[in-house]
Amino acid sequence: KDSSGTVRVATFSADLSGLANGAAIVFASGFLTPSANKNGKAFGLFAALPNGAVVEFPAVTTARLQAIHNAADPAADSVDIYLGSIKLLDNFKFRQATPFIDAPAGQQIVLGVAPATSASVNDTLVGFRATLTPGESYVVMANGVLSPSTFASNPDGRSTGFTLFIKTPAKESATGGNVEFVGVHGATDAPTVDIVARGVATLVNNAAYGDMTGYIAVPPAKYLLDVKDSSGTVRVATFSADLSGLANGAAIVFASGFLTPSANKNGKAFGLFAALPNGAVVEF
């Protein structure tokens, strides 16, 4: 990274597993911009060992990516996802998630959402452009509705158009024996809410549609989760969340569906779900 610690210049994979009790000189080498330096060798990271061997650390050119389908519009109940012109996911269903996968990084990619009957990328309904950072991890959640004017408005005036919510850095595991999760308010017609672990603590405070928390660490146990309005006094719903088997695990916990399906083309009803790094989706 640069001296600010915020800009990542490059990422390398360093396998030191076979160097127990060893020593090395690790050195940056070459030019970040060869074209401005007489086309000298490009920037890299190397290790010189005491026996004279020089090992090149390979540059990481991919990112880790998990996709979650949380767009409750019945017209998008099942979609195809394209990465560039390649169909990445076929018939990707509402409340389904992928495991974390390696995705191209350091270059602009185009994620396209198309009907489940699509024949090619030319059938894309909505496209999103992004440049992923090598070595970083992302959760990308499809959310919203295709034609907001035909659905109930969001009580807080938030835009409910079809979009992607992105969480980075994302975690594939936790430490210290805890469960670490991100909370996502993904129900378009639901108001600002609190999520309270009954008898324990308020886990999410004043989350409106589209809001996403940082990672929250809790012991692996069974919880009653009360979803309350922003005043903290009116209980909207209560869910039973069994996290007892998820020690050192991570999850994306997301509100999903419609509070009032009859006002939203009879889409799926409101619920609380957890997407795990392996792609499993658990309904609370």
Side-chain angles (χ1 to χ4, degrees), residues 111-164:
L111 289 172
V113 180
T117 56
S118 72
S120 73
V121 69
N122 294 329
D123 297 322
T124 296
L125 298 171
V126 187
F128 302 91
R129 298 179 184 274
T131 300
L132 306 182
T133 299
E136 192 59 275
S137 293
Y138 299 81
V139 171
V140 177
M141 177 180 287
N143 228 97
V145 293
L146 295 171
S147 301
S149 63
T150 63
F151 287 83
S153 299
N154 177 259
D156 298 303
R158 295 282 180 98
S159 172
T160 60
F162 192 91
T163 190
L164 298 181

Side-chain angles (χ1 to χ4, degrees), residues 6 45 64 69 88 98 112 120 129 142 149 152 158 163 166 178 181 198 207 213-214 217 224-225 227 237 280 284:
T6 59
L45 201 62
R64 296 288 284 167
H69 183 350
L88 183 66
T98 70
S120 73
R129 298 179 184 274
S149 63
R158 295 282 180 98
T163 190
I166 299 175
N178 286 323
F181 70 91
R198 190 181 297 181
T213 71
L224 285 179
L225 301 181
V227 180
F284 293 153

Side-chain angles (χ1 to χ4, degrees), residues 242-281:
D242 185 356
L243 307 181
S244 57
L246 294 181
N248 294 318
I252 304 293
V253 175
F254 56 101
S256 176
F258 299 110
L259 274 181
T260 311
S262 60
N264 292 279
K265 300 185 179 182
N266 293 315
K268 296 289 178 62
F270 182 85
L272 202 61
F273 297 78
L276 306 183
N278 64 2
V281 175

Side-chain angles (χ1 to χ4, degrees), residues 24-278:
I25 303 296
V26 176
F27 58 98
S29 176
F31 299 107
L32 275 178
T33 311
S35 61
N37 291 278
K38 299 184 178 181
N39 293 314
K41 293 292 178 65
F43 182 83
L45 201 62
F46 298 79
L49 306 183
N51 63 2
V54 175
V55 178
E56 181 177 3
F57 294 152
V60 175
T61 59
T62 59
R64 296 288 284 167
L65 177 69
Q66 180 181 41
I68 302 172
H69 183 350
N70 193 41
D73 187 335
D77 186 67
S78 184
V79 296
D80 293 341
I81 306 295
Y82 286 85
L83 179 59
S85 61
I86 299 172
K87 185 183 288 187
L88 183 66
L89 298 169
D90 186 46
N91 292 330
F92 191 41
K93 298 185 184 302
F94 178 52
R95 293 173 177 164
Q96 185 177 357
T98 70
F100 275 88
I101 62 172
D102 291 330
Q107 57 184 287
Q108 188 179 81
I109 61 174
V110 179
L111 289 172
V113 180
T117 56
S118 72
S120 73
V121 69
N122 294 329
D123 297 322
T124 296
L125 298 171
V126 187
F128 302 91
R129 298 179 184 274
T131 300
L132 306 182
T133 299
E136 192 59 275
S137 293
Y138 299 81
V139 171
V140 177
M141 177 180 287
N143 228 97
V145 293
L146 295 171
S147 301
S149 63
T150 63
F151 287 83
S153 299
N154 177 259
D156 298 303
R158 295 282 180 98
S159 172
T160 60
F162 192 91
T163 190
L164 298 181
F165 298 156
I166 299 175
K167 176 64 181 178
T168 186
K171 295 187 177 184
E172 297 186 51
S173 62
T175 58
N178 286 323
V179 182
E180 295 189 35
F181 70 91
V182 168
V184 183
H185 187 327
T188 57
D189 69 336
T192 296
V193 297
D194 296 341
I195 298 180
V196 180
R198 190 181 297 181
V200 181
T202 297
L203 300 179
V204 178
N205 186 50
N206 287 340
Y209 172 70
D211 287 347
M212 186 178 293
T213 71
Y215 275 91
I216 300 166
V218 297
K222 295 180 180 179
Y223 297 91
L224 285 179
L225 301 181
D226 291 323
V227 180
K228 298 184 176 183
D229 72 354
S230 57
S231 72
T233 59
V234 178
R235 188 180 300 164
V236 177
T238 299
F239 298 89
S240 174
D242 185 356
L243 307 181
S244 57
L246 294 181
N248 294 318
I252 304 293
V253 175
F254 56 101
S256 176
F258 299 110
L259 274 181
T260 311
S262 60
N264 292 279
K265 300 185 179 182
N266 293 315
K268 296 289 178 62
F270 182 85
L272 202 61
F273 297 78
L276 306 183
N278 64 2

